[in-house]
Amino acid sequence: MTDATPNPVPDPQDSRGERRRSTLPLQAASRVTGLVGSVMDLHVRIALKEADREKRRLISGVVLLAGGLCALLLALVAAELALLLWWHGQLGWAWPQAALALVGVNLLLSGAMLRIGGWLTRGPYLPETMAGLTKTTRALLGR
């Protein structure tokens, strides 16, 4: 009995070299994909390292700020009480007048602190990661 079915496995190289030419673009694409993957892995490692460093810095800063704010709050309450008593006793202001003056001073101070705090918390986050991604994107796109 003769085998009438065609061979299901193509010949690696036919007479015209068709098979060899069709694998070259796939090999090039595979290499480019591998290169892009390794570059992205590098950037991910850098971002994770930088994020870990930023996380430790931010946690330490928040803990110190919380402690400082608690101490500041206690000192502020004591200072305001002393100021209120002094305005009432030494300057002869009535209690409501002294309390309203204290509220005004508190509003001015809190407005200034909120404005400065908002300015300080702005800014680029993870600057090394963003710079690395920008350089890689420009290199890959040829810009």
Side-chain angles (χ1 to χ4, degrees), residues 58-129:
L58 288 174
I59 289 172
S60 299
V62 167
V63 167
L64 290 172
L65 282 173
L69 287 174
C70 286
L72 181 64
L73 180 64
L74 290 174
L76 184 62
V77 167
E80 287 187 352
L81 182 61
L83 185 62
L84 189 65
L85 290 171
W86 183 74
W87 281 344
H88 178 69
Q90 293 294 333
L91 299 178
W93 291 2
W95 287 110
Q97 186 181 9
L100 285 174
L102 195 56
V103 167
V105 169
N106 283 335
L107 285 175
L108 286 174
L109 285 174
S110 63
M113 286 188 272
L114 287 172
R115 180 73 172 167
I116 293 170
W119 179 75
L120 290 174
T121 55
R122 276 187 296 161
Y125 299 104
L126 302 174
E128 293 175 26
T129 302

Side-chain angles (χ1 to χ4, degrees), residues 9-64:
V9 179
D11 188 20
Q13 278 188 331
D14 63 1
S15 61
R16 295 173 298 180
E18 289 291 324
R19 177 78 173 143
R20 173 172 266 184
R21 268 190 252 128
S22 67
T23 61
L24 287 177
L26 293 175
Q27 289 174 351
S30 175
R31 287 182 183 162
V32 169
T33 303
L35 177 64
V36 170
S38 66
V39 168
M40 290 310 293
D41 286 343
L42 175 67
H43 285 298
V44 167
R45 273 189 263 127
I46 291 170
L48 288 173
K49 188 185 301 182
E50 189 175 13
D52 188 48
R53 201 170 47 236
E54 293 283 319
K55 180 178 67 172
R56 279 186 269 129
R57 181 182 64 86
L58 288 174
I59 289 172
S60 299
V62 167
V63 167
L64 290 172

